[in-house]
Amino acid sequence: MKKFIPKRVFFEPQALDYPLGQEMYERFRQMDIPIKLTGSHNRVTGIPGNSAQEAFREAKQTLVVGVRKSTDFVTCKPSAHYQLPLNTSCPGMCEYCYLATTLGKKPYIRVYVNIEDILARAKRYMEERAPAITVFEGAAVSDPIPTEHLSGLLGRTIAFFGEQPWGRFRFVTKFTDVASLLPVRHAGHTRFRFSVNAASVLQRFEHGTPGLSERVAAALDVARAGYPLGFILAPVFKFPDWRRQYQEVITLLQQEMAKSAVVPDLTFEIITHRFTKRAKNNILDLYPHTQLPLDETERMFKYGQFGYGKYIYPKEEQKELKDFLTGELQERFPAAAIEYFV
């Protein structure tokens, strides 16, 4: 895929007080990309669009360069202790994206240039919990890979954690532009994960993202570079042919991992599809012809950790999904850890 190049860029004035902000401003100026100032990265006006769908597409081509002002990190169960706020949103257009609940219909992409402040706060969290290991998730509200060639935030973060005895970093991506991260001195302290899914899910619901084979090829490069590796099956759907299609994904992973001369430190995570009422309304506005299963009567209602309710598969269907998928993974990857199923 082509690298992400924004159609327009907004800067918070404070972002220009940081070296990375100045560097990015000069880069975009030389690229002749329109630049405007905005009072806050949380409230950006001037993104065009005469309809919800058009405004959504334009937002996905808009980059906002800002300053992360909050000094506290959000918790991030079950994948980590805390979110590490480097980016928000991504240029991919997945119909099922859970960020439709929080980012709404204009999920413009944000990067935060006060990286020194962010990493210093992470270090204080580590010191508070030492000698226990503190784990930070870098992709809770974003996919950080597409903007990496513009910001370098991931590379700096991985190198930082490589020097931390009590901290570990992890992130997940659907994208494959990983070359700049392969030589970074990570010391095995960053787990590099890839999101994978069944063929029909990728075809029907994921737009603007690399295919499965490209993601697995990038994962092999990551494993050869010595990173701990992970795959996230997410979101898992229960559809008529779901067993065969997910079995094909797991078989492909087994075959491709066998080609690597390096046996990676490998983990799996499984997340079943869920949606909120607000996400459903936004998704139907943006994708009025979507084939996503969004019928509340077929789901069970559950309150989440952030205070709003979501619709998940009923317990008996969750058990069916869990038993099959964990069984397949344990059979084909007996040395790998299945970190959680939700």
Side-chain angles (χ1 to χ4, degrees):
M1 288 187 66
K2 291 182 179 179
K3 291 185 177 182
F4 167 69
I5 301 295
K7 196 172 180 178
R8 64 191 65 81
V9 182
F10 291 86
F11 275 79
E12 281 186 333
Q14 302 98 310
L16 298 175
D17 295 334
Y18 294 85
L20 179 57
Q22 297 171 12
E23 177 186 323
M24 293 183 71
Y25 186 94
E26 182 60 23
R27 178 179 296 120
F28 292 131
R29 190 186 66 79
Q30 292 180 6
M31 295 170 70
D32 203 27
I33 294 175
I35 300 173
K36 293 182 179 180
L37 296 180
T38 182
S40 169
H41 67 78
N42 290 317
R43 188 180 294 273
V44 174
T45 59
I47 298 174
N50 295 320
S51 66
Q53 294 96 324
E54 186 179 346
F56 174 77
R57 290 192 295 269
E58 292 292 340
K60 287 288 187 171
Q61 300 177 75
T62 301
L63 179 65
V64 178
V65 181
V67 174
R68 170 76 182 194
K69 299 178 178 66
S70 174
T71 58
D72 294 323
F73 292 178
V74 178
T75 58
C76 194
K77 299 176 182 179
S79 71
H81 294 102
Y82 298 103
Q83 297 178 17
L84 189 74
L86 303 176
N87 318 66
T88 301
S89 191
C90 86
M93 292 185 285
C94 301
E95 295 184 22
Y96 54 69
C97 184
Y98 65 87
L99 295 178
T101 297
T102 54
L103 298 185
K105 299 174 188 176
K106 287 188 178 181
Y108 52 83
I109 301 152
R110 287 173 256 185
V111 298
Y112 307 114
V113 296
N114 56 325
I115 183 64
E116 297 88 355
D117 301 335
I118 294 168
L119 296 180
R121 183 66 183 101
K123 190 163 187 176
R124 291 198 297 274
Y125 276 118
M126 296 178 220
E127 291 169 347
E128 290 168 5
R129 298 188 72 252
I133 297 296
T134 303
V135 182
F136 297 84
E137 171 64 67
V141 293
S142 70
D143 188 317
I145 287 288
T147 56
E148 175 63 10
H149 73 107
L150 300 170
S151 71
L153 287 170
L154 268 182
R156 291 181 63 174
T157 301
I158 292 169
F160 167 80
F161 276 94
E163 298 175 345
Q164 306 307 314
W166 311 121
R168 298 294 183 269
F169 181 53
R170 53 181 13 221
F171 65 94
V172 61
T173 184
K174 290 183 173 76
F175 291 84
T176 57
D177 187 14
V178 301
S180 68
L181 302 176
L182 301 182
V184 177
R185 299 179 66 178
H186 55 78
H189 290 184
T190 291
R191 185 169 297 277
F192 210 129
R193 295 123 78 220
F194 288 84
S195 174
V196 296
N197 218 313
S200 64
V201 174
L202 299 181
Q203 183 179 11
R204 288 192 293 172
F205 303 136
E206 292 192 10
H207 315 294
T209 60
L212 180 60
S213 60
E214 289 89 349
R215 298 181 206 181
V216 176
L220 285 173
D221 289 338
V222 165
R224 294 185 188 107
Y227 282 94
L229 181 64
F231 291 103
I232 301 184
L233 281 166
V236 170
F237 292 89
K238 192 170 182 286
F239 50 89
D241 199 24
W242 67 270
R243 286 182 179 84
R244 181 186 64 82
Q245 289 200 34
Y246 283 112
Q247 190 175 57
E248 287 178 351
V249 174
I250 295 168
T251 299
L252 175 66
L253 296 179
Q254 180 189 32
Q255 292 171 343
E256 293 301 313
M257 290 298 104
K259 296 178 182 178
S260 175
V262 178
V263 178
D265 172 359
L266 187 61
T267 60
F268 289 94
E269 299 153 77
I270 307 170
I271 305 173
T272 56
H273 178 243
R274 66 275 320 280
F275 61 91
T276 65
K277 187 67 174 178
R278 182 183 180 192
K280 175 181 177 177
N281 293 337
N282 286 337
I283 289 167
L284 291 177
D285 281 345
L286 299 172
Y287 301 100
H289 304 294
T290 187
Q291 298 178 54
L292 281 170
L294 298 173
D295 185 350
E296 293 93 338
T297 65
E298 297 178 352
R299 299 296 182 95
M300 180 177 74
F301 185 78
K302 179 182 179 181
Y303 277 104
Q305 63 174 309
F306 297 111
Y308 47 78
K310 53 193 172 185
Y311 293 91
I312 64 176
Y313 282 110
K315 290 182 178 179
E316 60 273 15
E317 294 187 41
Q318 287 192 50
K319 184 178 187 306
E320 189 178 5
L321 289 164
K322 181 178 182 179
D323 289 349
F324 178 81
L325 294 171
T326 57
E328 286 288 319
L329 290 171
Q330 287 167 349
E331 179 182 346
R332 297 167 188 270
F333 298 95
I338 301 175
E339 295 193 326
Y340 58 83
F341 173 99
V342 293

